Amino acid sequence: MESICPVVGPLVPPATITYLSNGVSGSLRLGLSCSLKSRSLCKSNRVFTESKNPEIDFSDPDWKTKFQQDFERRFNIPHLTDIFKDLQPIPSTFCLRSRTPVSEDFADGYPSDAKWHGYINNNDRVLLKVIHYSSPTSAGAECIGPGCTWVEQWVHRAGPREKIYFKPEKVNAAIVTCGGLCPGLNDVIRQIVITLEIYGVKNIVGIPFGYRGFTDKGIKEMPLTRKVVQNIHLSGGSLLGVSRGGPTTKEIVDSMEERGINMLFVLGGNGTHAGANAIHDEVRKRRMKVVVVGVPKTIDNDILLLDKTFGFDTAVEEAQRAINSAYIEAHSAYHGVGLVKLMGRSSGFIAMHASLSSGQVDICLIPEVPFHLHGPHGVLRHLKYLLDSKGSAVICVAEGAGQNLIQKTNAKDASGNMILGDIGVHIQQEIKKYFKEIGIPADVKYIDPTYMIRAVRANASDGILCTVLGQNAVHGAFAGYSGITVGICNTHYVYFPIPEVISYPKVVDPNSRMWHRCLTSTGQPDFI
Ligand SMILES: Nc1ncnc2c1ncn2[C@@H]1O[C@H](COP(=O)(O)OP(=O)(O)OP(=O)(O)O)[C@@H](O)[C@H]1O
Ligand SMILES: O=P(O)(O)OC[C@H]1O[C@](O)(CO)[C@@H](O)[C@@H]1O
Ligand SMILES: [Mg+2]
């Protein structure tokens, strides 16, 4: 079906992302495919084969039941009793008893004090997808099967359980923070320590400088208590320090065995979680009674299925300040151009949200949406139009955007992540060159606030998110779950099996309402 594209709509060639999950591969095509000949016509041909089960046979009348069974299997969260069949739980030492409900809350009568306890039942579930798309052409539609049939997908609810699988006095807990910095790391560390102590745990240590701290000679573990962590959330960074690269899984698990660690809390992004899952597999192989629980940390917000990761809100708020400075600089100069580069290796969430919240951005460039700098539809031509019509302009670019326009470095960091070329510097140079060539003055001010943004302390909203995630990580560990991570999903807190959230990076969907809102706000055309 052909439809009229909004004037500012994106022209995005379909991108194919191949992912691997639980050993099953599938592919996902994103984006609107628009006619390049006519900029006003586009064909919404979004094909979303989300079932990570490419062999699904939609002509089978039972496909939905089978899909749901498969989904339940995939999102099942590993438990100590999978390995130790005879393990017996004990009543929780995390007591909620004193907080009884008031009668008005229960119109049909409420459970007696003896029955009511406020714990989470192991069978409680949270709905993963809450929109019923009536058509694959609906904005942001994620369809399973033809006609976008409604398929319920439930995931495990996070929180304290009535029965626990560790005696607190036998727990040796460790916390490690890996990857890059992110606002809120200290808040999560603090809350894990406080909650462990409430359960009655006495032995808690921090492993300094990421996974390296397990093996590097000269790095000593840091004893943690409520007293030590009481005020750490008042500053940014990580009390424990972070790092990339480091030891092998085997070396980490050897070190855990030596130290007697049986509860490991891992704060980090996709790489860190891949490591955490490998540790979980290894301890199972060695039949160690150990649980590994992750808390997703990535300022880029690129972890699948979560509403957002902690630190993201703070990053957006901080990014807005940089954008505001760019705006003031640009606005105060004759033909001023403010250019701000923000983090986002493979996804443009910070750039998109900061552009939206600031309301001061004229051009937002993200990795998910290709663009040309030169040519009749290029960024530079539009910039000239903005200087002619408005007198100044602000560009916000995500670091992973337009990597096809600059020379690849082929360099990698210690964790094997590609080191990107500097798109901010490139755009700055191209703007200067372009305006010099056409003989029009342009005063370009380039701001790269990336590390300043990452180092700030969490704002109030992230502070709360960190607190809840930290508490739920401890509840999950005591409940005997391992190889899991904790997140917020449709405003509820859930546990996911790690592989499901890291099989590929979450990216901005160019067909989503949010990206369309961003385009509406900036007023930018397509740059292709
Ligand atoms: N596939 C993997 N298997 C095991 N360990 C891994 C894997 N990928 C990365 N790691 C380890 O995880 C740690 C952190 O990885 P990485 O530097 O990629 O950061 P990250 O967790 O993705 O966070 P960020 O969002 O800041 O990039 C490193 O110590 C790295 O060695
Ligand atoms: O320079 P570092 O410390 O390796 O971190 C930079 C990277 O970390 C990230 O913020 C992810 O945490 C990327 O967006 C960024 O490229
Ligand atoms: Mg990463």
Side-chain angles (χ1 to χ4, degrees):
M1 193 179 80
E2 300 247 302
S3 64
I4 304 296
C5 259
V7 177
V8 294
L11 290 171
V12 186
T16 301
I17 297 172
T18 311
Y19 57 82
L20 278 172
S21 173
N22 288 348
V24 185
S25 67
S27 79
L28 168 73
R29 279 177 86 208
L30 294 172
L32 277 174
S33 170
C34 296
S35 154
L36 296 181
K37 282 188 212 123
S38 160
R39 284 166 57 78
S40 63
L41 274 182
C42 80
K43 192 184 279 177
S44 181
N45 72 340
R46 194 159 191 276
V47 182
F48 194 99
T49 317
E50 202 224 17
S51 89
K52 294 179 183 177
N53 196 345
E55 64 274 13
I56 200 158
D57 174 9
F58 293 112
S59 61
D60 177 350
D62 288 334
W63 73 263
K64 210 157 139 178
T65 313
K66 288 179 183 163
F67 177 90
Q68 277 171 330
Q69 284 166 350
D70 181 53
F71 183 88
E72 220 168 289
R73 180 191 54 73
R74 274 173 40 209
F75 283 81
N76 178 45
I77 46 178
H79 194 268
L80 281 175
T81 51
D82 301 342
I83 302 293
F84 304 101
K85 305 279 180 213
D86 300 329
L87 207 58
Q88 291 303 316
I90 58 167
S92 180
T93 50
F94 182 82
C95 190
L96 296 160
R97 256 292 170 63
S98 57
R99 292 155 220 173
T100 51
V102 289
S103 56
E104 298 91 287
D105 290 348
F106 295 87
D108 304 324
Y110 59 89
S112 69
D113 271 11
K115 279 195 213 146
W116 189 87
H117 45 51
Y119 293 112
I120 299 291
N121 189 299
N122 282 342
N123 295 321
D124 286 355
R125 296 288 184 273
V126 171
L127 200 52
L128 183 62
K129 307 280 178 187
V130 289
I131 299 182
H132 180 189
Y133 297 98
S134 60
S135 151
T137 59
S138 296
E142 297 175 10
C143 295
I144 301 161
C148 263
T149 322
W150 171 249
V151 185
E152 284 178 16
Q153 300 169 69
W154 298 98
V155 294
H156 290 248
R157 188 179 175 205
R161 268 49 179 182
E162 194 180 4
K163 293 281 167 50
I164 58 175
Y165 285 81
F166 287 92
K167 287 184 177 161
E169 66 275 19
K170 296 272 167 63
V171 170
N172 286 316
I175 308 172
V176 63
T177 57
C178 316
L181 286 182
C182 179
L185 277 167
N186 281 335
D187 303 61
V188 180
I189 295 170
R190 176 177 182 269
Q191 208 52 227
I192 290 175
V193 172
I194 289 173
T195 311
L196 282 167
E197 284 199 355
I198 289 174
Y199 271 91
V201 178
K202 296 273 185 282
N203 300 315
I204 313 167
V205 295
I207 305 293
F209 301 112
Y211 288 138
R212 286 177 188 281
F214 277 108
T215 53
D216 277 22
K217 291 199 173 58
I219 300 184
K220 292 232 163 358
E221 61 186 33
M222 185 189 289
L224 297 175
T225 60
R226 177 188 272 265
K227 201 166 166 212
V228 172
V229 300
Q230 192 59 44
N231 293 316
I232 61 172
H233 62 304
L234 302 180
S235 64
S238 164
L239 169 76
L240 302 175
V242 290
S243 73
R244 299 190 188 274
T248 63
T249 305
K250 186 183 167 302
E251 289 169 329
I252 294 172
V253 178
D254 286 348
S255 163
M256 286 172 65
E257 245 182 325
E258 260 167 47
R259 296 167 198 246
I261 294 166
N262 53 8
M263 246 185 216
L264 177 64
F265 298 95
V266 177
L267 282 52
N270 55 343
T272 307
H273 274 72
N277 203 52
I279 297 169
H280 158 76
D281 286 342
E282 181 65 21
V283 297
R284 279 193 150 200
K285 212 166 82 192
R286 298 190 193 184
R287 295 189 62 80
M288 293 161 63
K289 193 196 163 195
V290 170
V291 288
V292 184
V293 177
V295 182
K297 169 240 52 124
T298 158
I299 202 167
D300 296 349
N301 197 31
D302 60 355
I303 301 283
L304 291 171
L305 305 177
L306 310 180
D307 292 356
K308 63 178 174 182
T309 45
F310 73 80
F312 176 69
D313 263 6
T314 309
V316 170
E317 199 170 301
E318 208 55 29
Q320 260 194 116
R321 293 185 219 285
I323 289 173
N324 188 51
S325 300
Y327 174 81
I328 299 290
E329 285 286 348
H331 205 64
S332 310
Y334 176 62
H335 279 185
V337 178
L339 171 63
V340 181
K341 185 182 78 170
L342 298 174
M343 278 189 174
R345 246 200 263 267
S346 42
S347 26
F349 287 103
I350 302 182
M352 175 174 74
H353 282 249
S355 298
L356 262 172
S357 58
S358 75
Q360 292 172 318
V361 172
D362 301 289
I363 299 174
C364 175
L365 303 171
I366 60 172
E368 296 86 341
V369 179
F371 61 90
H372 290 151
L373 279 180
H374 297 275
H377 303 305
V379 171
L380 297 171
R381 180 69 70 89
H382 185 61
L383 201 52
K384 177 181 176 296
Y385 162 76
L386 290 170
L387 294 193
D388 286 346
S389 55
K390 289 177 59 180
S392 65
V394 176
I395 305 175
C396 174
V397 60
E399 65 174 323
Q403 287 296 307
N404 57 320
L405 306 176
I406 45 185
Q407 204 166 4
K408 269 207 173 103
T409 64
N410 283 328
K412 295 196 171 166
D413 69 15
S415 295
N417 300 305
M418 199 72 89
I419 295 179
L420 302 178
D422 196 329
I423 186 67
V425 170
H426 178 74
I427 293 179
Q428 177 199 26
Q429 288 166 347
E430 291 303 303
I431 296 172
K432 284 182 177 167
K433 254 197 286 176
Y434 173 78
F435 282 98
K436 198 171 170 194
E437 271 165 27
I438 62 173
I440 295 177
D443 193 348
V444 189
K445 299 290 192 307
Y446 174 44
I447 301 179
D448 177 351
T450 47
Y451 290 118
M452 290 178 73
I453 288 173
R454 219 169 62 163
V456 301
R457 65 172 277 201
N459 68 11
S461 130
D462 273 326
I464 295 169
L465 179 59
C466 293
T467 301
V468 182
L469 295 176
Q471 290 184 5
N472 278 328
V474 176
H475 295 319
F478 263 102
Y481 295 114
S482 179
I484 62 161
T485 197
V486 52
I488 184 166
C489 181
N490 299 318
T491 72
H492 297 282
Y493 295 90
V494 298
Y495 296 134
F496 286 114
I498 290 175
E500 288 300 331
V501 296
I502 57 163
S503 45
Y504 56 93
K506 182 172 84 172
V507 292
V508 172
D509 177 356
N511 187 35
S512 63
R513 288 292 304 122
M514 210 47 144
W515 179 242
H516 290 177
R517 289 178 191 118
C518 186
L519 296 174
T520 305
S521 167
T522 60
Q524 73 196 66
D526 313 308
F527 296 118
I528 288 281

